[in-house]
Amino acid sequence: MLPKFENFRVANGIRIYLFAIAGTAAMGIDPARLEMLSALNRKVLWLSSWTIHHANHIRPNTDGLKVGGHQASSASLANIMSALYFSVLRPQDRVAVKPHASPVFHAIQYLFGHQTRDKLENFRGYKGAQSYPSRTKDTDDVDFSTGSVGLGVAQTLFSSLVQDYVKAHGWMKDRPEGRMIALVGDAEMDEGNIFEALLEGWKQSLRNTWWVVDYNRQSLDAVVREGLWAKFESMFRNFGWDVVIVKYGKLMLEAFAEPGGEALRRWIDNCPNQMYAALCFQGGAAFRKHLQDDIGDQGQVSQLIDRRSDDELLALMSNLGGHDMASMIEAFEAIDHDRPVCFIAYTIKGVGLPMQGHKDNHAGLMTVAQMEKWRAAQNIRPGHEWDRFEGLTQDPAKLEAFLAAAPFNQEGRRRLTAPEIEVPRELTFKQSSQMSTQQGFGLILNELARGDSELASRIVTTSPDVTVSTNLGAWVNRRGLFAKAENHDLFRQEKIPSAYTWEFSPKGQHIELGIAEMNLFIMLSALGLSHSINGERLLPVGTLYDPFIERGLDALNYACYQDARFMVAATPSGITLAPEGGAHQSIATPLIGIAQDGLASFEPAFVDELSVIMRWGFQHMQREGGEGGSVYLRLSTRTIEQPQRPMGATLHQEITEGAYWLRKPGPNCDIVIAYTGAVAPEAIEAVGFIGESHRDVGLLAITSADRLHAGWTAARKLRRDRRGVQYLSHIENLLAPLSRDCGIVTVIDGHPATLGWLGSVRGNRVEALGVEHFGQTGTIDDLYRHHGLDANAIIDAAESLTVGAPIRHRKMAV
Ligand SMILES: Cc1ncc(C[n+]2csc(CCOP(=O)(O)OP(=O)(O)O)c2C)c(N)n1
Ligand SMILES: [Mg+2]
């Protein structure tokens, strides 16, 4: 079915609709519906501007800081969002709102009755409506958090892929497929992660995704380059998207149909972005002058212009497609397929406000006088600014009924839930005496893949082209790769020997990504919200090389911010990946692990610890609210001797709380070695030498500096908040038997500050060993010696802490 647009052009076989038809009747949009939508749009524009104004000019300011908010960016999207939320969106659709249009979102929810006046009055204040839409902090059903531009956009794409995954696995049941929609700033499109996502979407046959570009041709600093739309258009088409350009509104189209209208259209098309923006700011008289100077000598155009007052002329020239309700509704409703669509909607930043079009309007605020004038113009009585329908001429009962009938609202709140998936009592693996944690990770997943637990059926693995090198191969061999269509491993069919079977099918449980760590984390973010978006729980496990966490860090932070639940195994890590060299060696990641909110970080030394941590992790990923979160496993390729030991409940608990005594300190302990991860053999060896002269030396195995530190700070806060409470954290309990004189040497293949804080727990002196400088290639021995992580470095550090009690034994060079 063709949309009833008046005009389109065909480029490479794709219809690009340029403008809406003049006159609503011909479009088939019920005029009464249009009237309601236009009225609500006016209200949304008012409420979003007023919310920001109130926060900046009316609410008492106690710290002198500008509160801020983006009136111009909000105005730019008010009409498009009104069209979507009040009419086009269905309950199953999910939206990522341009971050700085947050006030528009909250205004819409306020009109729906899902947002309180209190929160709007407290916009950007403590526990008020958030500056940028937040799934976790806002209370009005934000579908996807946004804030760091670009990430929310990509999230919609991956969320659509996840929906396809859920459907292919037979879990959608009767739920209709939703559209994943991003409202995108035109300058937001500069973010590279969007392009990375586009390519991945193409590879994975993306469907059900709409991106609506708010094409106001302004960024934060300036007016954007000419012709950007054409780059967008060809790029999106190149990736298999349909492109719909909504450039002119109804008033414009009517004018174009008048004698001389074609010349006006040509003038608009050729007007440079800066000039158009400047004229929008200056107003009707300025437009008249420029039009007359440029095309006023053509009789019919002059008459066309002269027939309009300055205000009418400004209204005409501001009537770009994105600000025209009928045009936007028509453009959205014309889509009758599930191909991805990019809408490029022409808009004016700050439309309808005094700062419209001004190049400096990004953070601009209306003055009190401007707001007063605007308020009066809209018949809004002082003291009634928050009244939902104040100043509208429509019957409030009809507006109320229209809102109640909006399709978006028909199924109530939008957060779905999913039951918890049972985690087996133990995650087993094939033991051997020498192993690395990375190898153990692969073995544990392999064992899960062999079984038929519900847990295994809900695990989805994903990796940015490092599936094999992070030991996911065995899992993938058994569980297959996910694709909407089957695709067999040709090497296998041709009987060419290979350790890996690369079979794609709709039932596969591994999503192979291209090399883009941003995509990995946004994919994990989308998979990790499936319980809430699709009502079906997935337990995503992603793998990458540890140093490249930093490449995807903002996306990791974003995923945690919106409370997505996933497990990430980062391997290999540190300088222990020795021959791989400096740029592959991660120094800062343990500190990221400590500092990243929503992420419990672990660095086990032994595979039995890892299996306990993974089991705990799968439960942690499913716990409600602040109790749960995501899990980061920092692993290693270093093969080390594995302990053969019984694992009782206490040890299980200690491992997940972050530490246990591998060798308990004796009564006269004056030195403790506390180690994390792959340096365990050096720590054990050093303790052996030290023990020759210091019999009571203790060896503390730290499986999670993050959990230990978090427990310690939480306990102190608890004691401060509730005086008299005697609660001690795990690390305080562990260190309690030590005397103040006991020194602690900490050692980790990562930044020494990760464990350096241990000395503050009970006032023990600390020597913190670790890596502070970019490394180089070499053997593990070479590099541990170079960075001071070897047994002798640990012994030297211990000696510096023991007063008058030298450590006589050292490891001999081999
Ligand atoms: C990753 C990131 N970098 C920078 C910013 C700061 N910032 C917020 S909005 C913006 C400009 C956005 O322009 P555009 O996308 O065109 O939106 P408009 O305000 O024009 O609607 C910038 C640079 C941010 N929020 N996130
Ligand atoms: Mg812009």
Side-chain angles (χ1 to χ4, degrees):
M1 185 195 84
L2 275 182
K4 301 179 202 77
F5 280 102
E6 199 180 50
N7 207 338
F8 61 83
R9 69 189 165 84
V10 175
N12 291 3
I14 306 281
R15 259 169 226 275
I16 299 168
Y17 301 98
L18 286 172
F19 27 74
I21 196 166
T24 56
M27 282 187 289
I29 298 179
D30 173 14
R33 176 182 172 216
L34 201 58
E35 186 192 337
M36 289 289 138
L37 286 170
S38 303
L40 290 170
N41 171 34
R42 280 201 298 284
K43 207 68 235 169
V44 166
L45 179 60
W46 163 259
L47 282 170
S48 57
S49 307
W50 177 253
T51 300
I52 298 167
H53 184 79
H54 182 276
N56 284 277
H57 293 295
I58 297 177
R59 198 169 73 214
N61 184 327
T62 51
D63 57 10
L65 220 59
K66 176 179 172 180
V67 177
H70 303 86
Q71 286 174 329
S73 303
S74 293
S76 194
L77 262 182
N79 181 69
I80 293 171
M81 286 176 68
S82 297
L84 282 170
Y85 281 90
F86 296 131
S87 199
V88 176
L89 292 181
R90 304 156 307 168
Q92 65 270 27
D93 298 334
R94 296 289 182 274
V95 188
V97 174
K98 184 183 77 169
H100 34 307
S102 155
V104 176
F105 174 80
H106 294 306
I108 289 171
Q109 297 292 7
Y110 178 66
L111 289 174
F112 275 137
H114 298 154
Q115 178 61 288
T116 63
R117 173 173 163 179
D118 193 45
K119 295 240 180 224
L120 291 189
E121 285 185 337
N122 206 6
F123 172 62
R124 291 184 163 230
Y126 185 59
K127 304 224 164 154
Q130 297 294 291
S131 320
Y132 307 108
S134 169
R135 272 183 69 83
T136 48
K137 301 272 183 279
D138 278 315
T139 50
D140 49 354
D141 272 359
V142 170
D143 292 330
F144 300 118
S145 299
T146 52
S148 174
V149 296
L151 299 179
V153 183
Q155 172 85 27
T156 59
L157 182 151
F158 287 102
S159 201
S160 177
L161 297 179
V162 171
Q163 178 174 262
D164 284 342
Y165 182 94
V166 169
K167 187 178 168 96
H169 284 76
W171 294 322
M172 280 292 270
K173 302 180 194 103
D174 297 333
R175 261 175 51 74
E177 290 175 6
R179 282 188 183 120
M180 304 298 159
I181 300 173
L183 303 168
V184 193
D186 47 359
E188 185 169 11
M189 287 291 303
D190 286 334
E191 284 289 359
N193 83 275
I194 296 183
F195 302 85
E196 297 175 10
L198 273 175
L199 188 55
E200 196 60 51
W202 168 75
K203 289 184 202 163
Q204 313 265 0
S205 314
L206 179 70
R207 306 182 306 135
N208 289 317
T209 307
W210 286 5
W211 288 356
V212 186
V213 179
D214 176 0
Y215 195 60
N216 60 26
R217 290 147 292 140
Q218 280 187 248
S219 62
L220 190 159
D221 283 336
V223 175
V224 306
R225 263 184 84 120
E226 302 302 317
L228 187 61
W229 65 272
K231 298 292 163 205
F232 290 165
E233 180 200 333
S234 55
M235 181 180 76
F236 276 94
R237 268 198 281 117
N238 190 25
F239 285 120
W241 290 52
D242 283 18
V243 177
V244 176
I245 301 179
V246 193
K247 183 164 184 182
Y248 314 113
K250 171 170 72 77
L251 286 180
M252 280 191 173
L253 291 169
E254 282 169 354
F256 298 159
E258 293 175 27
E262 262 311 309
L264 177 69
R265 181 212 299 266
R266 267 198 306 279
W267 185 90
I268 292 175
D269 284 351
N270 292 328
C271 184
N273 290 341
Q274 283 221 48
M275 177 58 75
Y276 209 87
L279 292 175
C280 283
F281 175 71
Q282 289 170 303
F287 262 120
R288 183 182 307 283
K289 180 169 182 321
H290 269 266
L291 285 166
Q292 272 165 351
D293 288 353
D294 293 347
I295 52 175
D297 53 347
Q298 302 164 29
Q300 291 177 323
V301 192
S302 304
Q303 288 161 23
L304 189 158
I305 299 165
D306 288 346
R307 274 196 297 277
R308 287 160 169 89
S309 68
D310 283 354
D311 284 350
E312 285 168 341
L313 193 57
L314 182 62
L316 170 64
M317 303 306 274
S318 310
N319 180 237
L320 295 175
H323 301 312
D324 193 77
M325 183 59 75
S327 305
M328 287 316 302
I329 294 281
E330 184 82 358
F332 289 138
E333 291 189 344
I335 307 301
D336 58 357
H337 55 77
D338 65 3
R339 291 191 299 278
V341 185
C342 171
F343 297 87
I344 301 176
Y346 275 70
T347 52
I348 297 163
K349 193 156 170 170
V351 71
L353 310 182
M355 79 273 269
Q356 79 168 9
H358 196 293
K359 72 179 171 58
D360 304 337
N361 63 10
H362 187 79
L365 296 173
M366 288 166 78
T367 63
V368 172
Q370 286 172 331
M371 180 53 88
E372 182 53 25
K373 198 167 152 205
W374 196 49
R375 182 191 59 69
Q378 296 183 71
N379 293 328
I380 292 171
R381 292 164 296 166
H384 291 264
E385 292 87 354
W386 296 109
D387 293 4
R388 280 161 73 240
F389 305 134
E390 175 73 5
L392 298 183
T393 52
Q394 289 72 20
D395 176 0
K398 282 195 180 149
L399 286 164
E400 209 68 84
F402 188 82
L403 286 170
F408 170 80
N409 254 340
Q410 295 313 303
E411 289 175 12
R413 303 304 291 245
R414 299 157 66 74
R415 296 292 172 84
L416 306 178
T417 51
E420 210 172 305
I421 307 296
E422 197 186 325
V423 179
R425 285 172 57 85
E426 213 184 344
L427 298 185
T428 54
F429 58 94
K430 199 162 148 264
Q431 297 265 5
S432 57
S433 59
Q434 302 270 336
M435 274 193 282
S436 71
T437 47
Q438 171 173 318
Q439 188 188 355
F441 169 74
L443 290 171
I444 291 167
L445 278 176
N446 183 36
E447 219 45 48
L448 275 166
R450 270 159 43 97
D452 61 355
S453 61
E454 201 193 357
L455 172 68
S457 74
R458 293 286 169 152
I459 289 176
V460 194
T461 54
T462 182
S463 184
D465 202 26
V466 289
T467 298
V468 168
S469 49
T470 55
N471 271 50
L472 275 178
W475 162 269
V476 175
N477 281 350
R478 290 187 191 278
R479 294 280 169 158
L481 293 110
F482 172 71
K484 285 168 205 160
E486 300 219 346
N487 192 359
H488 295 292
D489 188 336
L490 190 123
F491 279 71
R492 195 175 169 80
Q493 285 178 347
E494 294 290 320
K495 302 198 166 47
I496 301 171
S498 161
Y500 305 104
T501 315
W502 218 239
E503 296 268 338
F504 291 84
S505 86
K507 294 282 172 256
Q509 284 182 248
H510 173 77
I511 302 177
E512 179 72 4
L513 298 171
I515 327 162
E517 286 73 18
M518 292 295 275
N519 280 346
L520 170 74
F521 286 115
I522 304 174
M523 175 58 105
L524 289 173
S525 173
L527 289 165
L529 286 177
S530 178
H531 54 285
S532 177
I533 303 284
N534 301 309
E536 290 292 333
R537 193 179 295 280
L538 300 174
L539 293 164
V541 178
T543 67
L544 81 166
Y545 295 173
D546 193 56
F548 304 134
I549 282 191
E550 287 165 8
R551 172 73 78 104
L553 190 51
D554 197 25
L556 168 63
N557 180 58
Y558 172 67
C560 292
Y561 177 57
Q562 58 181 344
D563 202 23
R565 301 300 180 81
F566 53 88
M567 182 179 285
V568 60
T571 181
S573 59
I575 56 165
T576 306
L577 51 75
E580 293 280 330
H584 273 55
Q585 296 170 341
S586 53
I587 297 175
T589 47
L591 293 175
I592 292 171
I594 289 185
Q596 181 61 56
D597 193 11
L599 191 70
S601 305
F602 293 88
E603 186 167 355
F606 305 116
V607 178
D608 60 359
E609 297 168 353
L610 176 65
S611 96
V612 170
I613 292 164
M614 285 178 71
R615 178 182 181 277
W616 177 90
F618 286 125
Q619 289 175 327
H620 185 65
M621 286 157 68
Q622 305 189 60
R623 284 190 194 108
E624 291 287 322
E627 292 295 300
S630 292
V631 179
Y632 161 31
L633 310 171
R634 188 174 190 252
L635 305 182
S636 173
T637 38
R638 184 183 190 191
T639 300
I640 63 174
E641 197 175 330
Q642 300 291 312
Q644 308 299 320
R645 55 183 168 181
M647 292 277 253
T650 312
L651 185 52
H652 276 223
Q653 189 173 344
E654 290 199 302
I655 287 169
T656 58
E657 286 186 20
Y660 63 94
W661 286 112
L662 195 59
R663 171 178 163 147
K664 275 213 156 106
N668 297 315
C669 176
D670 62 349
I671 196 77
V672 161
I673 309 300
Y675 75 91
T676 284
V679 293
E682 282 64 30
I684 292 167
E685 204 175 15
V687 163
F689 285 109
I690 297 167
E692 300 279 335
S693 49
H694 297 248
R695 280 187 38 220
D696 287 350
V697 57
L699 180 58
L700 187 64
I702 296 186
T703 46
S704 172
D706 176 34
R707 298 261 304 154
L708 272 191
H709 188 272
W712 179 50
T713 49
R716 279 178 298 152
K717 184 169 185 323
L718 191 74
R719 294 197 295 264
R720 277 197 308 272
D721 291 352
R722 294 203 234 139
R723 287 181 195 286
V725 169
Q726 288 304 309
Y727 177 78
L728 289 182
S729 63
H730 185 48
I731 189 63
E732 287 167 314
N733 279 323
L734 285 169
L735 300 186
L738 303 181
S739 84
R740 280 281 162 90
D741 298 333
C742 177
I744 303 176
V745 178
T746 67
V747 54
I748 181 171
D749 177 1
H751 197 275
T754 312
L755 298 176
W757 56 273
L758 279 176
S760 301
V761 175
R762 290 183 50 82
N764 300 89
R765 281 168 306 130
V766 161
E767 278 288 323
L769 306 182
V771 182
E772 286 176 283
H773 302 290
F774 292 116
Q776 53 179 16
T777 49
T779 63
I780 289 179
D781 276 351
D782 291 335
L783 298 186
Y784 280 14
R785 201 176 321 111
H786 178 82
H787 290 281
L789 301 181
D790 60 350
N792 284 344
I794 297 171
I795 297 166
D796 290 344
E799 189 166 57
S800 74
L801 292 170
T802 56
V803 188
I807 299 167
R808 287 186 294 276
H809 300 271
R810 291 287 186 283
K811 186 179 178 186
M812 303 297 284
V814 277

